[in-house]
């Protein structure tokens, strides 16, 4: 019998380390929040107070654990950490500085074209840059042909696009984390995919009770980081054809989010609604006795404008 742990056991160990690191970071951040607790305080879709500290904690735990994930080349581990840390940093900037005046890619890039630099534009450019750097690392770790210009472009899209897409789901308790877990499960069909997804999945699971309990939310920092790391895991594990398919799905959903409310689609699709409500408190009744659950397109578009703007829009009567 081999004395070396199996790849499955190593992956579980990596996920467990990420979970422990994320919980430790969450406790430490709550003890001494950078800038004070009010900087991270937001109002959720019920109009109740939550903290955004869950996001930096999950990002820190996932990025730290990814550096020691077994079964991956050193450069792939570095790419995972870079994708998570970069997305977390720029997401936190948007969390703390975002005004909500401009929303979505169209709003931020339109403002940039007219000479106005929004926090969302800074985040878009910053995550794109760190995604490119992580993509170069991933390509170098994929062996012959893995670092071609085409692969770098595809992988950059996966990392930056994954970061943005997961953030678009962070509008109701547990939703973004459930999407992250589903993506991690899909990647887990291969040993390399499971190894790459272990850290972000472990960190996400560790903060899920806080999210479902409506005590905290991922915000841009956490959602961007976990999405970017899952994109990096896909970039490191999947063949080119599969990566192109995943990138097409990410691009399509991102484009649709500019016009369609994901929350409304979920509310109107019975299976998706059941999954979305799993583990959550029942939807609160609005002033006129109607459910205060479905989101408006304006609230969905706020995924690019920072958690403060999204939470304020989601809390308004719908």
């Amino acid at each position: 019998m081999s004395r070396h742990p199996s790849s499955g056991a190593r992956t579980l160990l990596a996920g467990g380390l990420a979970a422990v690191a994320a919980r430790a970071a969450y406790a430490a951040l709550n003890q001494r929040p950078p800038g004070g607790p009010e900087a991270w305080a937001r109002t959720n879709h019920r109009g109740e107070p939550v903290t955004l500290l869950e996001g930096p904690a999950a990002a820190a735990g996932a990025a730290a654990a990814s550096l020691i994930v077994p079964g991956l080349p050193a450069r792939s581990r570095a790419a995972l950490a870079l994708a998570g840390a970069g997305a977390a940093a720029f997401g936190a900037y948007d969390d703390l500085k975002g005004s909500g005046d401009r929303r979505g890619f169209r709003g931020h890039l339109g403002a940039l074209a007219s000479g106005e630099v929004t926090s969302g534009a800074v985040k878009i450019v910053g995550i794109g840059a760190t995604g490119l750097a992580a993509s170069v690392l991933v390509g170098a770790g994929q062996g012959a042909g893995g670092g071609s210009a085409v692969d770098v472009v595809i992988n950059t899209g996966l990392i930056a696009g994954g970061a943005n897409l997961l953030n678009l789901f962070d509008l109701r308790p547990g939703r973004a984390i459930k999407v992250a877990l589903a993506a991690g499960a899909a990647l887990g069909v291969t040993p390399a995919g499971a190894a790459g997804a272990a850290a972000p999945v472990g960190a996400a699971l560790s903060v899920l009770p806080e999210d479902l309990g409506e005590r905290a939310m991922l915000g841009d920092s956490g959602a961007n980081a976990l999405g970017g790391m899952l994109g990096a895991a896909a970039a490191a594990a999947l063949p080119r054809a599969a990566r192109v398919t995943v990138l097409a799905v990410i691009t399509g959903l991102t484009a649709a989010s500019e016009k369609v409310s994901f929350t409304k689609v979920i509310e109107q699709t019975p299976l998706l609604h059941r999954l979305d409500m799993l583990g959550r408190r029942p939807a609160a009744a609005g002033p006129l006795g109607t459910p205060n659950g479905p989101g408006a397109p304006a609230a969905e578009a706020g995924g690019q404008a920072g958690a403060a703007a999204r939470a304020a829009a989601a809390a308004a009567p719908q």
Side-chain angles (χ1 to χ4, degrees):
M1 179 182 256
S2 173
R3 296 181 180 179
H4 299 288
S6 67
S7 60
R10 293 196 302 265
T11 297
L12 288 174
L13 176 61
L17 290 174
V20 170
R23 291 303 304 188
Y26 185 63
L29 287 170
N30 273 287
Q31 285 290 325
R32 293 189 176 181
E38 64 282 352
W40 303 90
R42 296 295 182 270
T43 302
N44 70 2
H45 70 112
R46 296 180 192 271
E48 298 175 353
V50 295
T51 178
L52 295 179
L53 290 172
E54 170 190 307
S66 68
L67 289 171
I68 56 174
V69 172
L72 288 177
R75 295 182 71 106
S76 293
R77 296 197 299 270
L80 280 166
L82 177 59
F90 287 105
Y93 175 79
D94 198 20
D95 277 335
L96 299 177
K97 301 296 184 182
S99 67
D101 294 336
R102 304 279 186 165
R103 294 172 176 171
F105 274 114
R106 185 184 306 171
H108 291 299
L109 296 181
L112 191 61
S114 64
E116 178 188 355
V117 180
T118 65
S119 63
V122 171
K123 185 179 76 167
I124 291 170
V125 173
I127 291 180
T130 55
L132 174 60
S135 176
V136 171
L137 284 172
V138 167
Q142 286 178 329
S148 71
V150 172
D151 286 296
V152 168
V153 170
I154 294 170
N155 293 344
T156 300
L158 288 174
I159 297 168
N164 174 68
L165 181 60
L166 189 62
N167 193 32
L168 296 177
F169 287 98
D170 190 32
L171 286 167
R172 292 294 184 271
R175 182 182 295 171
I177 293 179
K178 290 173 184 176
V179 173
L181 297 180
L187 286 168
V189 298
T190 67
V201 166
L205 276 172
S206 75
V207 297
L208 181 59
E210 301 299 318
D211 215 291
L212 289 174
E214 302 188 24
R215 295 179 290 274
M217 61 184 290
L218 286 174
D220 290 24
S221 179
N224 285 151
L226 295 178
M229 293 184 72
L230 288 167
L238 301 179
R240 180 183 290 180
R243 282 182 283 133
V244 169
T245 300
V246 174
L247 180 58
V249 172
I250 290 174
T251 302
L253 288 173
T254 302
S257 73
E258 296 284 338
K259 297 289 186 181
V260 178
S261 165
F262 285 176
T263 295
K264 188 173 182 179
V265 171
I266 290 169
E267 289 285 342
Q268 294 178 346
T269 308
L271 177 59
L272 294 179
H273 180 60
R274 284 196 294 272
L275 292 173
D276 191 48
M277 292 302 300
L278 188 64
R280 284 177 51 187
R281 292 159 56 190
L288 300 179
T290 56
N292 198 22
E300 298 290 343
Q304 294 298 323
R310 292 201 314 278
Q318 305 192 21

